[in-house]
Amino acid sequence: MTGVEGDGSATAQEMASAWAQVEGARHPDRPYSLDLIARCLDDFIELHGDRQGGDDAAVVIGLAKLEGRRLAVVANQKGRTLEERGRRNFGMAHPEGYRKAQRLFALAGRLQLPVISFIDTPGAYPGVAAEERGQAWAIAQTLEAQLALPTPYLAVVIGEGGSGGALATLLADSVLVLEHAFLSVASPEAAAAILFRDAGRKQSAAAALHLEVSNLLKWGIADEIVPEPPGGAHTDWDGTAALLRPRLVAKLEQLVAEGVGPVRRRERYRRLDGLFQA
Amino acid sequence: MSASPTYSPPKAVAAEKSGAVVCAVCSSSQSAGEAAANLYVCLACGAHARISAHERIRQLADPGTFKVWDVGLEGSDRLGFFDTRAYVDRLDEARIRQHLPDAILSGAAQIGAIPVGLAAFDFGFLGGSLSTAVGERLARAIEASAEARMPFVCVTSSGGARMQEGVFSLMQMAKTVAALHGLAERHLPFISVLADPTMGGSIASFAALGDVILAEPKAMIGFTGARVITQATYEQLPAGFQTSEFHHARGLIDQVVDRRELRPVLTQLLRVLSAPAGDIEQSAA
Ligand SMILES: [Zn+2]
């Protein structure tokens, strides 16, 4: 059992450090998935639709190559312009987005393609239509689709990793996280509303949730923190990609060599929290 | 996994039987005996009150058959979490009040003389939220059922992730889904029963993956709560939004079952799903 890693309410320094993690991940000039895909992968071709009647632009799927190796790609996509933000719904998927991801996992399994996912979402879309069409069911099925994937699977958290929506493309054999990205059970605002009944206390919530990226490594949820250029990814997209691409190549080589698959992946997520090892 | 040879419901169930019971919906009052005999369904309006995990087991398991699993398995305060109070204090208080180590009770039981793995969430224990210990107890119950070649029945009543355990709570969604594969690979059924409420990370993981999904009437079920949706989108909520009936009408739930019919319906389901010797399960290559 790991010892207690803090106690009492957060200090000003803890709040500042946890909140900096959140602000870095949300910076409006930060490279989004397609920006990094264009710079890290070769020959990316986007595919469209869940084949069940929808094509959610908050999730992008496609095929690409990396150092000659064939790949399937799935990514959360935020919008840059006002029009694109609306069309991509700020990177928050509806059930069609999760079903689109499931289609990608099925395709990858059939064609024996390794998968790379790019995670950058505040969470699943909190709306009436999403609930009417089975948001929770879509996410649950996507969790299982990831665990059942027969090919190597690498995930990269490039910005916000919010809640169950992020988990839908996170359950990989290896998880990379950019230096200024974060993963959280809920957005700091939502957590503050629940914990303090005050969404304004988001900085306290971020500190209480220990959102600093180093913790993900310590806890075994992430396998590697990928450094960003000095000043952060938002100052230098090419530099960010130049640091990320070799890590993708190396990790993917490693996973392919290890011959990973559903047995090992299920075991990883079954034992992940490192507790209760009787 | 540790199974106790005998199980006697703790005082929590007895406590539910003392004093008058007032319906949260229509405010009509019933005597304690009446309420218990009617399984805490309001005699006046049919509202299904939230019940403890111990009471749920009492209602569903054949008398004397429940053998609790993982009695001593408790979680801890991994983050040293403090909001308006220390999480460790909240945990201790809930353990004493609910007579449970965490928000779920699981064990081997019989329903209609058919052996099953049976788990029930306890909403009174920090909103039935999905902690590491709850995830672990649930995963172990699923695995124990699979190991013993028994169907698995889980009655969920859970607000979703337990914020105080941060990202560890989130990862329980993955843990429970990973464990369910043990049933699938042995061709054993998972019957998921949704009680009020089943929200967030609980319905977006194991609870939505039942081979058969039942729900109690008018239970609130959904990924994002109505209040958050209204605040985030200003959308008008349709009538009956996120109730069992709402999801049933959209093909997401197989049957809405009155609590007084739940045991007979489960018995019938389990009987239909019981594999006779020599059927396809055994003969498949
Ligand atoms: Zn009533």
Side-chain angles (χ1 to χ4, degrees), chain B residues 23 25-28 42 44-47:
Chain B
C23 175
V25 175
C26 76
S27 299
S28 75
C42 176
C45 78

Side-chain angles (χ1 to χ4, degrees), chain A residues 171-219:
Chain A
L171 305 185
D173 300 304
S174 188
V175 176
L176 308 184
V177 184
L178 294 198
E179 188 183 346
H180 297 294
F182 73 94
L183 179 66
S184 181
V185 63
S187 75
E189 291 80 2
I194 292 165
L195 294 165
F196 305 114
R197 310 210 169 273
D198 176 6
R201 293 187 61 188
K202 56 195 181 181
Q203 305 198 13
S204 301
L209 292 168
H210 294 258
L211 294 186
E212 298 88 344
V213 73
S214 55
N215 289 325
L216 294 175
L217 200 58
K218 185 167 72 182
W219 295 331

Side-chain angles (χ1 to χ4, degrees), chain A residues 30-67:
Chain A
R30 198 168 169 82
Y32 294 153
S33 293
L34 285 173
D35 304 318
L36 291 177
I37 287 169
R39 286 167 177 79
C40 290
L41 306 181
D42 307 318
D43 286 338
F44 176 71
I45 300 173
E46 188 173 352
L47 303 177
H48 283 277
D50 64 3
R51 295 293 189 270
Q52 299 178 61
D55 183 23
D56 188 342
V59 173
V60 164
I61 61 171
L63 304 169
K65 284 206 158 183
L66 178 61
E67 298 276 327

Side-chain angles (χ1 to χ4, degrees), chain A residues 7-275:
Chain A
D7 73 82
S9 32
T11 65
Q13 192 189 344
E14 283 166 342
M15 282 202 282
S17 133
W19 189 247
Q21 197 76 47
V22 175
E23 289 204 307
R26 289 178 176 174
H27 196 288
D29 295 332
R30 198 168 169 82
Y32 294 153
S33 293
L34 285 173
D35 304 318
L36 291 177
I37 287 169
R39 286 167 177 79
C40 290
L41 306 181
D42 307 318
D43 286 338
F44 176 71
I45 300 173
E46 188 173 352
L47 303 177
H48 283 277
D50 64 3
R51 295 293 189 270
Q52 299 178 61
D55 183 23
D56 188 342
V59 173
V60 164
I61 61 171
L63 304 169
K65 284 206 158 183
L66 178 61
E67 298 276 327
R69 190 184 294 288
R70 304 183 308 156
L71 285 179
V73 180
V74 56
N76 306 119
Q77 183 62 38
K78 292 179 176 175
R80 190 75 60 188
T81 64
L82 196 64
E83 179 279 326
E84 196 194 5
R85 272 186 218 138
R87 187 162 54 85
R88 300 202 183 273
N89 207 18
F90 303 88
M92 295 184 283
H94 282 75
E96 291 74 12
Y98 300 112
R99 292 179 183 130
K100 190 173 175 180
Q102 287 169 39
R103 178 199 160 204
L104 191 276
F105 292 121
L107 181 150
R110 212 158 44 238
L111 302 183
Q112 289 290 293
L113 308 175
V115 175
I116 297 184
S117 70
F118 292 81
I119 293 144
D120 189 16
T121 177
Y125 185 63
V128 169
E131 296 290 323
E132 285 179 324
R133 300 199 296 266
Q135 186 77 301
W137 281 257
I139 293 171
Q141 287 155 3
T142 315
L143 299 184
E144 171 54 22
Q146 292 176 90
L147 295 177
L149 177 70
T151 57
Y153 176 19
L154 176 60
V156 195
V157 186
I158 64 162
E160 287 186 273
S163 177
L167 212 61
T169 47
L170 183 90
L171 305 185
D173 300 304
S174 188
V175 176
L176 308 184
V177 184
L178 294 198
E179 188 183 346
H180 297 294
F182 73 94
L183 179 66
S184 181
V185 63
S187 75
E189 291 80 2
I194 292 165
L195 294 165
F196 305 114
R197 310 210 169 273
D198 176 6
R201 293 187 61 188
K202 56 195 181 181
Q203 305 198 13
S204 301
L209 292 168
H210 294 258
L211 294 186
E212 298 88 344
V213 73
S214 55
N215 289 325
L216 294 175
L217 200 58
K218 185 167 72 182
W219 295 331
I221 291 167
D223 299 85
E224 189 177 316
I225 308 299
V226 179
E228 296 180 18
H234 63 276
T235 63
D236 183 0
W237 293 4
D238 290 337
T240 304
L243 289 166
L244 177 58
R245 182 183 156 110
R247 299 318 305 150
L248 297 180
V249 172
K251 275 289 172 190
L252 207 57
E253 285 303 320
Q254 184 195 333
L255 295 179
V256 169
E258 288 172 1
V260 290
V263 173
R264 196 175 105 172
R265 197 173 307 121
R266 284 200 171 92
E267 186 63 17
R268 171 185 169 112
Y269 290 98
R270 172 65 185 86
R271 309 285 165 208
L272 187 78
D273 42 48
L275 302 171

